[in-house]
């Protein structure tokens, strides 16, 4: 047997590869279009909850993308709420890419940053197709890693007049606002509560970290014509939120309709989000198979639970650029 090698990219390699915002968005947009055209395979995520005496779980995501990417992939990411008490990020992830014809591994890479970037990119691409083109105010709940990329990539598309942010811990939201202000070169409004953050905003993103479901985001605060993206692990929205929506869009209905976690889990169980009420998967809209926003009057909700396809597409983009820059390590596998 010929030797088999894999490429290993650690966190420093990922950072040094330095994909641009435009490269990140392009990779995610194309992967969504491929999903919409049926050029991918995706399995609903599964969870592992260790009995370790702490609040946290692992997500396992699996998928395959054809075309130029031509790779299968599996990502395992830990989501541990109290990691901040140890000065650690809440999420650690590893992505593995495989040859889909013989099953041999191609690459292993840190996926913590990739998870943050691809989540923000899916939010931003969702807004590209579903938010009003003249959206000027962003209200963002949450300050974890994905939150930064939500705001950064959304602002790269909309150049907001006003960005409001809020999170549970004062030190967290203040540091988040300072980082965004420095990186985006504009004033960030750090609010003291949920209402002042989201009420009247054109785009509302809810990326909170609750320990249990609690309706913190009130339906009455949502502006007619707004674009709303709730994706917290635990629901932070009222059951009535879907009632005011003109369109309900998800990233993958197969994984949204099952499992114990997710911002709209109660809405699925109550029948408010179902095959009948669902407008489309995001990939169908990006591929041009179903319409996105059709008028400024529409109030639209986009729930994304996280796609393995996004991880694979962005991981492939990092691998390709890192290899060209001579980054990473080649390891003998067999």
């Amino acid at each position: 047997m010929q030797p088999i090698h894999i490429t290993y990219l650690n966190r420093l390699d990922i950072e040094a590869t330095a994909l641009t915002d435009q490269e990140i968005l392009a990779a995610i947009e194309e992967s969504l279009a491929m999903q919409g055209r049926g050029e991918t395979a995706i399995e609903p995520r599964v969870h592992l909850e260790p009995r370790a005496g702490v609040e946290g779980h692992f997500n396992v995501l699996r998928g395959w993308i054809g075309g130029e990417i031509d790779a299968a992939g599996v990502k395992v990411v830990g989501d541990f709420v109290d990691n901040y008490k140890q000065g650690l990020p809440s999420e650690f992830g590893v992505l593995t890419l495989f040859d889909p014809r013989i099953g041999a591994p191609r690459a292993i890479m840190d996926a913590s940053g990739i998870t943050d970037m691809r989540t923000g990119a899916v939010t931003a691409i969702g807004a590209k197709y579903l938010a009003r083109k003249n959206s000027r105010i962003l209200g963002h709940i949450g300050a974890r890693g994905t939150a930064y990329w939500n705001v950064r990539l959304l602002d790269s598309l909309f150049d907001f007049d006003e960005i409001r942010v809020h999170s549970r811990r004062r030190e967290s939201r203040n540091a988040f606002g300072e980082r965004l202000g420095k990186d985006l070169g504009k004033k960030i409004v750090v609010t003291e509560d949920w209402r002042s953050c989201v009420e009247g905003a054109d785009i509302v993103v809810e990326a909170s970290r609750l320990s249990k479901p609690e309706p913190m985001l009130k339906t009455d605060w949502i502006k007619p014509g707004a674009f709303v993206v709730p994706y917290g692990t635990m629901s932070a929205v009222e059951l009535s939120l879907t009632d005011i929506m003109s369109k309900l869009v998800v990233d993958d209905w197969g994984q949204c309709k099952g499992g114990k976690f997710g911002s709209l889990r109660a809405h699925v169980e109550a029948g408010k989000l179902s095959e009948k009420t669902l407008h489309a998967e995001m990939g169908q809209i990006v591929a041009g198979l179903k319409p996105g926003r059709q008028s400024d009057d529409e109030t639209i909700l986009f729930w994304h639970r996280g796609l393995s396809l996004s991880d694979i597409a962005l991981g492939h983009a990092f691998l390709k650029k890192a290899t060209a820059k001579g980054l990473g390590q080649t390891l003998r596998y067999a």
Side-chain angles (χ1 to χ4, degrees):
M1 184 177 70
Q2 292 294 318
I4 296 175
H5 296 86
I6 60 176
T7 300
Y8 173 62
L9 299 178
N10 63 27
R11 181 167 297 195
L12 299 178
D13 296 324
I14 294 294
E15 292 174 355
T17 302
L19 285 186
T20 66
D21 292 356
Q22 292 70 31
E23 287 172 328
I24 295 169
L25 289 169
I28 297 305
E29 187 167 14
E30 177 55 25
S31 69
L32 286 167
M34 293 179 73
Q35 180 195 12
R37 294 192 297 263
E39 299 169 6
T40 64
I42 182 171
E43 295 288 338
R45 67 169 63 197
V46 294
H47 306 283
L48 170 65
E49 296 181 74
R51 299 171 184 172
V54 297
E55 183 181 349
H57 67 278
F58 293 94
N59 300 304
V60 183
L61 296 85
R62 305 154 292 163
W64 163 82
I65 300 180
E68 186 265 336
I69 294 177
D70 189 33
V74 178
K75 185 183 78 170
V76 179
V77 57
D79 188 350
F80 288 77
V81 175
D82 292 329
N83 276 7
Y84 72 90
K85 296 177 182 178
Q86 303 180 56
L88 297 172
S90 61
E91 296 180 330
F92 287 100
V94 174
L95 173 66
T96 52
L97 298 180
F98 298 86
D99 185 314
R101 288 169 179 78
I102 63 172
R106 288 178 177 168
I108 300 173
M109 63 189 74
D110 171 74
S112 304
I114 287 174
T115 297
D116 293 344
M117 294 172 199
R118 65 85 153 137
T119 302
V122 172
T123 299
I125 296 301
K128 176 179 177 179
Y129 289 86
L130 299 173
R132 294 200 320 271
K133 300 303 181 186
N134 62 345
S135 295
R136 306 314 310 154
I137 300 174
L138 169 66
H140 193 289
I141 300 293
R144 50 180 162 157
T146 59
Y148 172 82
W149 286 96
N150 282 334
V151 177
R152 173 170 166 167
L153 294 177
L154 280 167
D155 191 60
S156 74
L157 296 180
F158 289 89
D159 189 19
F160 297 109
D161 293 335
E162 183 177 346
I163 297 175
R164 310 171 190 162
V165 299
H166 175 77
S167 68
R168 178 178 54 183
R169 294 183 294 116
R170 182 183 299 274
E171 63 272 22
S172 176
R173 61 181 181 254
N174 286 342
F176 185 45
E178 290 177 7
R179 181 186 179 190
L180 287 171
K182 178 181 178 181
D183 290 356
L184 302 183
K186 58 177 60 178
K187 180 181 178 181
I188 306 298
V189 179
V190 179
T191 72
E192 297 296 318
D193 54 56
W194 284 58
R195 182 170 188 169
S196 58
C197 181
V198 306
E199 190 170 36
D202 300 304
I203 296 176
V204 175
V205 182
E206 180 275 304
S208 62
R209 296 194 57 78
L210 303 182
S211 298
K212 60 182 179 180
E214 185 178 357
M216 300 289 291
L217 192 155
K218 306 300 182 183
T219 304
D220 289 346
W221 300 343
I222 302 302
K223 173 183 177 179
F227 173 57
V228 183
V229 186
Y231 73 83
T233 300
M234 297 293 177
S235 178
V237 303
E238 293 185 305
L239 198 60
S240 59
L241 181 65
T242 52
D243 297 343
I244 68 168
M245 296 297 163
S246 309
K247 288 186 173 83
L248 300 175
V249 178
V250 300
D251 56 357
D252 178 72
W253 176 239
Q255 66 178 6
C256 285
K257 68 181 179 181
K260 63 177 290 186
F261 297 115
S263 186
L264 297 190
R265 180 60 49 228
H267 300 76
V268 173
E269 294 172 355
K272 289 179 175 289
L273 176 57
S274 66
E275 284 89 345
K276 291 183 179 179
T277 64
L278 180 67
H279 169 66
E281 291 182 341
M282 194 67 229
Q284 295 173 312
I285 294 172
V286 176
L289 303 176
K290 290 193 176 181
R293 176 175 288 271
Q294 294 171 287
S295 76
D296 285 350
D297 297 333
E298 291 182 305
T299 307
I300 300 176
L301 182 145
F302 175 37
W303 178 29
H304 59 92
R305 296 210 59 211
L307 288 172
S308 60
L309 307 178
S310 302
D311 295 307
I312 296 166
L314 196 53
H316 172 78
F318 269 105
L319 180 61
K320 185 176 181 180
K321 189 171 184 179
T323 300
K325 296 176 75 170
L327 297 170
Q329 302 174 55
T330 300
L331 306 177
R332 178 75 180 261
Y333 171 76

